[in-house]
């Protein structure tokens, strides 16, 4: 049996492309502000997962201020991120996500 992965992380560019990450498989961007991230291990079921997310640069570009929300969806290996301008208007933003998993 493989060791239980306790930490996942990724950086997603505003256009939905993956800048870097650990065990991140895919990111689908809706063109506005929703990103569905797929991981190589489940976030639900055996795992109990907590998230930390922040708006931040993918590489060295300037960072515009913004807000981020993170939540699970029906697929056990996916999470949904939505990004916004500071006033709550949907806006594409680069961001960083860390997932902390417990059994």
């Amino acid at each position: 049996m493989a060791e239980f992965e306790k930490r996942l992380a990724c950086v997603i560019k505003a256009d939905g492309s993956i800048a870097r990450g650990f065990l991140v498989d895919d990111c689908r961007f809706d063109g506005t502000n929703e990103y569905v991230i797929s991981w190589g291990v489940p976030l639900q079921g055996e795992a109990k997962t907590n998230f930390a997310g922040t708006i931040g640069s993918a590489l060295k570009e300037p960072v515009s201020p913004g807000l981020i929300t993170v939540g699970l969806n029906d697929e056990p290996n996916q999470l949904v991120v939505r990004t916004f301008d500071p006033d709550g208007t949907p806006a594409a933003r680069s961001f960083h996500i860390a997932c902390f998993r417990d059994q």
Side-chain angles (χ1 to χ4, degrees), residues 19-92:
R20 58 191 172 277
F22 178 68
L23 289 179
V24 61
D25 286 342
D26 184 52
C27 181
R28 292 189 327 264
F29 176 51
D30 74 353
T32 303
N33 78 320
E34 184 176 278
Y35 305 81
V36 178
I37 301 171
S38 298
W39 301 88
V41 295
L43 306 174
Q44 305 174 56
E46 175 189 18
K48 286 125 182 102
T49 309
N50 299 296
F51 308 103
T54 188
I55 301 297
S57 65
L59 295 171
K60 296 180 180 180
E61 76 276 9
V63 179
S64 297
L67 305 169
I68 185 171
T69 64
V70 181
L72 297 170
N73 72 8
D74 292 334
E75 295 297 322
N77 69 324
Q78 293 181 344
L79 63 83
V80 178
V81 172
R82 291 182 181 91
T83 55
F84 304 87
D85 281 336
D87 68 2
T89 302

